[in-house]
Amino acid sequence: MRIAILEDDPTQSEMLRWVLESANHKCHIFGNYRSFQTGMYRESYDLVLLDWVLPDSNGPVVLTWLRETLNSKVPVLFITGKTDEESIVEDLN
């Protein structure tokens, strides 16, 4: 499986890469929204792991861009420490 990881924390992104690649997945890490956008135009992925809090955007904005601009149906998993019900409901909508 080809997985795009949008995570600005290098420690977190490398840990995710290590776990996923040890399960024979191919991972590409993006450290910010702009590089993620460029990468999504150039390649296709089977799954996106998306950080909620980014230095140049946030997860809900990135997900909206992915769905509306690219019209992509790729599955997305959020990486977040957020646990409040309001945030979770916002993105499920």
Side-chain angles (χ1 to χ4, degrees):
M1 181 180 292
R2 293 177 40 81
I3 302 172
I5 301 171
L6 176 51
E7 169 62 65
D8 64 312
D9 182 326
T11 303
Q12 289 283 353
S13 58
E14 285 304 320
M15 187 266 311
L16 287 166
R17 180 197 307 258
W18 180 80
V19 168
L20 293 166
E21 288 185 349
S22 69
N24 295 318
H25 299 292
K26 302 286 184 193
C27 298
H28 190 100
I29 295 173
F30 301 95
N32 59 56
Y33 180 35
R34 183 168 299 257
S35 66
F36 175 78
Q37 287 177 304
T38 302
M40 294 303 288
Y41 279 123
R42 291 182 179 164
E43 308 254 352
S44 64
Y45 296 92
D46 303 306
L47 176 66
V48 172
L49 299 183
L50 179 57
D51 189 4
W52 192 296
V53 179
L54 298 163
D56 57 345
S57 190
N58 64 57
V61 168
V62 176
L63 180 59
T64 299
W65 173 82
L66 189 62
R67 296 292 188 242
E68 292 178 357
T69 305
L70 291 185
N71 197 28
S72 176
K73 301 294 185 203
V74 65
V76 174
L77 292 176
F78 273 101
I79 304 166
T80 184
K82 289 184 174 271
T83 58
D84 65 289
E85 185 176 344
E86 183 179 319
S87 295
I88 294 167
V89 168
E90 174 188 343
D91 282 330
L92 287 174
N93 284 330

